[in-house]
Amino acid sequence: MTGRARTIHLTVVALLATMAVGSLLMIVAGASPLHAWGQLLQKTLGERQGFGQVLFRATPLVFTGLAVAVPLRAGLFNIGGEGQLTAAALACAVVAAALPPGLPAPLAVLIATAVAFLAGAAVGAATGAMRIYRGAHEVIVAIGLNAIIAGVALWLGNRSLFVGESTRTATIPAAAQLPELGLAGSNASVSALGALAVAALMAWLLARTRVGFTWRMTGQGLDAARAAGLPVDRARVWAMTVAGGMAGLAGAHFVLGHKHAYEDGLGRGVGFLGIAVALLAQGEALAIIGAALVFGVLGQGGLAIASDVPKEMVDVLQAVVVLVAAASLGRRRA
Amino acid sequence: MYRLRVRTWRLVAALVVVNAALLIIGDALAPARPQPATGAGAPRARIGLVFDVGGKDDRSFNDVAWRGLVRARDQLGVAITTIEPSDGADREAALRQLAAQHLDLVIGVGFIFSADLERLAREFPDVAFAGIDYAPTGPDQPPPNLAGLRFREHEGSFIVGAIAGLSTRTRTVGFVGGMKIPLIRKFEAGYVAGVKHVCPDCKVFSAYAGTEPKAFADPALGQELALAQYEGGADIVFHASGKTGAGVIAAARAKGKRVIGVDSDQFHEAPCCVLTSMVKQVDVAVFDAVADVVAGRFRGGIRELGLADDGVGFVANADNAHLLSADVVTRARALAADVIAGRIEVPSQ
């Protein structure tokens, strides 16, 4: 299958280019690239704690990656992951904290996760509706919504939701907290398994269902799909709605599986990084798992070698991955 | 259609060669890594520290913490590791990274780490933790291996408030805060009380740079806020706003008015204009925490460092003698003694 070979080739090129740029930066910073890369790999893939942290970082990236990849197939660009994640995380934390005590754990988790999905989906639906029914470009709408949600969340928090002197909401009950995977003091929780399942579900939805077919046709040729009688408007709004829900699940991952509360700055940047993940994965739902792991290794590895190289290096390396992926996408179109 | 041909893989081959070359050249160029010391030369303890927003070179809060750690390294012979997290999500991961190495002490610099420190201290009971500006997140006591180090900023602010009240010629002074949080409210409350204590009918302007962390890193806004206060008649402004304060000091320099620095002695930022600084001895707190661990007498719990412990104070030395009159210094010292003795109750909110 040429598509898959292409993705592998792209990934190899992206990683090698990233490594070359990284090595140059390390040399400038006065560190030995051989030693630094060795440390980076050893502390991410070579030990349980580090690997758990990689999984923990990759999990929300799978969700926000899907939040970009799914509407991309329907021809829309979702850069609203940040706002969708924040709205979902705040709603999830508030509802989870208010759940009656004594609620069985699976039910509490289910309710809190559903709230996160719906809150994110609502923001996604609003973005899609603005695009389809008002003709506003979805990128502009998403930028606006990101800023509005960030401001409102902080205002609500400072006004009434943050407890004591902190900038975090009340801790959610134990029943709503996701169990950890037990990887030697890492944060990896069962949400990692949830991410795998959701990615598989999305791959199936896109490839094997009528809904997925409509999305793909809409993305490949709007006018042709419309002429063929497909409900392209509704399809695009739904694609954005599901995308918002995906970003919402990333919010649930942080609240239920990590912080056990909403706090200012929670998941910041993860929505945007999802764009890079989706790009590297060429929009393929299953490839997103691999792409998320690549960014997980870079992020965690950067922290592991933070004493040897400047902290900005990881940001630069992530950008190199994006650039290579973007350049290669362009060549396909040409 | 995208087909894999030999040509396609040429790029990969070229990149492999480039990478190999960089690895070999880089390794040859890099300075020799110090071998981990063993036996008598081994460090007496391994200390990790994670910086707050703004990072190591903020010339304020983080910088002071860094100085304390460097002093501990040089004087106590400990090995240090620091991490500057690049974003919010990295903060907890950075602390965890250090805790998982089972260092002897892991320090989080900033109130923002409080919840993460509580949780990690429970997960890693064999590691000692210290939080600067620690703010408890619940009614529970912190775990026994977590030392929460707090400062009585309102006490130090009270003294510089009194200095402002005694030194103002327009009977009007100002305050510029960073992020509007209870911690910075302590500075404001103490300052206002200090001004009013010596000058009951003096006016105090008050402004904050915002409600999110970047309010501590916005010099342009700090300058605007301070200019407005100077133009409104204030002749002295006290800032408690981290990097934002650079703008406040710039405004003082531009208007030829006086300004009061914060956290570290900020005299050298503007020798014309820095009347004094409300110093917060974060470096002392960091150094002492390390010293306690080295001496085996580390204990958890919340500790408040005020005027009595030299945890906070004001600057009066040869540098600022041309701005700060000896009479005012005498009055300020007497007031400090009153606060320490409990004769004056300084409000913290």
Side-chain angles (χ1 to χ4, degrees):
Chain A
M1 193 174 135
T2 50
R4 184 161 300 163
R6 197 188 129 65
T7 306
I8 293 171
H9 176 252
L10 167 62
T11 309
V12 171
V13 170
L15 290 181
L16 286 172
T18 306
M19 196 175 156
V21 174
S23 297
L24 268 178
L25 288 175
M26 288 167 186
I27 293 173
V28 173
S32 156
L34 195 64
H35 176 85
W37 286 115
Q39 281 287 302
L40 186 139
L41 289 179
Q42 159 66 19
K43 287 187 174 163
T44 51
L45 304 176
E47 52 188 53
R48 283 162 65 89
Q49 200 267 348
F51 184 64
Q53 288 295 96
V54 170
L55 287 185
F56 164 71
R57 279 168 180 269
T59 301
L61 291 177
V62 169
F63 291 127
T64 55
L66 289 169
V68 177
V70 168
L72 206 56
R73 299 297 287 271
L76 292 177
F77 193 37
N78 177 26
I79 65 155
E82 292 284 309
Q84 291 150 7
L85 190 161
T86 300
L90 186 61
C92 177
V94 169
V95 170
L99 287 175
L103 205 65
L107 194 58
V109 169
L110 197 68
I111 293 174
T113 307
V115 166
F117 183 89
L118 291 175
V123 180
T127 315
M130 285 286 281
R131 167 67 203 252
I132 304 305
Y133 302 117
R134 303 295 317 156
H137 198 285
E138 76 271 14
V139 168
I140 310 290
V141 174
I143 292 173
L145 282 175
N146 282 346
I148 290 171
I149 291 167
V152 168
L154 191 64
W155 174 75
L156 276 177
N158 281 326
R159 206 179 76 103
S160 49
L161 297 176
F162 292 158
V163 291
E165 293 178 32
S166 72
T167 51
R168 74 199 299 269
T169 60
T171 304
I172 62 174
Q177 300 177 4
L178 291 175
E180 294 190 341
L181 286 181
L183 277 169
S186 79
N187 282 323
S189 74
V190 296
S191 61
L193 305 176
L196 290 180
V198 170
L201 182 73
M202 283 296 132
W204 171 79
L205 186 82
L206 281 166
R208 296 287 159 87
T209 67
R210 181 187 293 264
V211 173
F213 176 76
T214 311
W215 287 354
R216 283 186 287 127
M217 288 304 113
T218 305
Q220 280 171 20
L222 188 61
D223 292 333
R226 202 194 306 269
L230 290 173
V232 291
D233 288 349
R234 214 173 54 205
R236 286 189 292 167
V237 174
W238 270 111
M240 277 307 255
T241 307
V242 170
M246 292 293 118
L249 291 180
H253 154 82
F254 282 114
V255 172
L256 307 179
H258 182 218
K259 292 287 185 171
H260 303 151
Y262 173 83
E263 65 174 38
D264 181 50
L266 179 128
R268 192 168 286 159
V270 170
F272 287 133
L273 206 49
I275 301 172
V277 170
L279 220 53
L280 181 61
Q282 308 273 286
E284 293 289 338
L286 284 178
I288 278 183
I289 296 169
L293 283 171
V294 167
F295 282 94
V297 167
L298 273 182
Q300 177 59 23
L303 210 53
I305 56 171
S307 48
D308 291 338
V309 297
K311 65 172 177 174
E312 287 80 8
M313 196 194 74
V314 169
D315 300 335
V316 173
L317 295 191
Q318 285 173 346
V320 173
V321 176
V322 175
L323 282 180
V324 174
S328 145
L329 275 179
R331 194 167 61 178
R332 180 166 63 171
R333 291 221 181 87
Chain B
M1 257 304 137
Y2 186 95
R3 265 177 295 142
L4 293 175
R5 290 183 297 260
V6 178
R7 197 158 62 85
T8 325
W9 289 100
R10 256 187 225 152
L11 178 59
V12 173
L15 279 170
V16 168
V17 173
V18 168
N19 267 305
L22 282 173
L23 288 183
I24 294 164
I25 297 168
D27 200 49
L29 284 180
R33 300 187 61 76
Q35 291 299 309
T38 47
R44 296 174 59 198
R46 296 184 306 149
I47 316 292
L49 181 143
V50 181
F51 290 104
D52 194 358
V53 209
K56 194 156 77 182
D57 300 317
D58 69 347
R59 290 170 176 238
S60 184
F61 187 59
N62 286 300
D63 237 357
V64 186
W66 168 241
R67 283 206 293 273
L69 190 65
V70 168
R71 205 162 72 226
R73 180 190 63 194
D74 297 343
Q75 294 179 11
L76 302 173
V78 296
I80 62 173
T81 315
T82 62
I83 300 184
E84 292 179 78
S86 52
D87 214 328
D90 267 358
R91 276 197 298 262
E92 195 262 6
L95 284 176
R96 184 173 289 273
Q97 171 82 29
L98 297 174
Q101 296 171 30
H102 297 280
L103 301 183
D104 297 292
L105 173 68
V106 175
I107 305 171
V109 183
F111 83 100
I112 205 100
F113 290 102
S114 302
D116 297 331
L117 283 168
E118 283 172 13
R119 173 172 171 170
L120 284 165
R122 290 198 178 90
E123 268 184 61
F124 295 90
D126 62 325
V127 177
F129 292 86
I132 307 291
D133 280 352
Y134 169 79
T137 54
D140 302 343
Q141 279 295 308
N145 54 332
L146 169 58
L149 306 174
R150 296 166 60 88
F151 293 85
R152 301 177 66 82
E153 292 93 352
H154 48 292
E155 292 184 354
S157 302
F158 179 85
I159 304 301
V160 298
I163 290 175
L166 293 167
S167 311
T168 177
R169 289 184 282 264
T170 58
R171 305 184 77 72
T172 309
V173 298
F175 171 81
V176 172
M179 184 180 174
K180 192 158 190 173
I181 45 172
L183 173 66
I184 303 300
R185 277 280 304 147
K186 274 159 84 179
F187 288 85
E188 185 193 359
Y191 177 71
V192 173
V195 175
K196 300 283 184 190
H197 187 83
V198 298
C199 176
D201 56 346
C202 273
K203 210 152 75 179
V204 186
F205 297 136
S206 190
Y208 282 85
T211 50
E212 32 186 325
K214 75 167 195 285
F216 286 123
D218 193 346
L221 182 56
Q223 183 158 10
E224 255 175 66
L225 295 173
L227 279 177
Q229 297 189 344
Y230 285 130
E231 268 153 29
D235 61 346
I236 299 170
V237 172
F238 171 43
H239 89 89
S241 60
K243 241 182 189 171
T244 302
V248 177
I249 294 172
R253 211 187 295 118
K255 303 290 283 182
K257 306 273 187 185
R258 288 165 292 172
V259 62
I260 298 175
V262 80
D263 291 348
S264 54
D265 181 0
Q266 296 194 306
F267 177 80
H268 294 286
E269 305 285 309
C272 62
C273 310
V274 178
L275 179 62
T276 181
S277 297
M278 201 297 272
V279 289
K280 182 167 155 179
Q281 309 284 18
V282 173
D283 52 341
V284 177
V286 167
F287 183 88
D288 287 352
V290 176
D292 282 352
V293 166
V294 169
R297 54 165 197 263
F298 175 88
R299 59 195 165 81
I302 296 176
R303 225 157 312 143
E304 292 221 323
L305 306 166
L307 282 172
D309 323 271
D310 279 331
V312 293
F314 69 101
V315 177
N317 56 24
D319 282 342
N320 64 352
H322 66 287
L323 288 165
L324 194 59
S325 81
D327 293 349
V328 172
V329 174
T330 313
R331 271 298 293 282
R333 291 218 169 101
L335 284 171
D338 284 347
V339 171
I340 291 169
R343 288 189 291 272
I344 296 176
E345 188 77 34
V346 180
S348 62
Q349 286 300 319

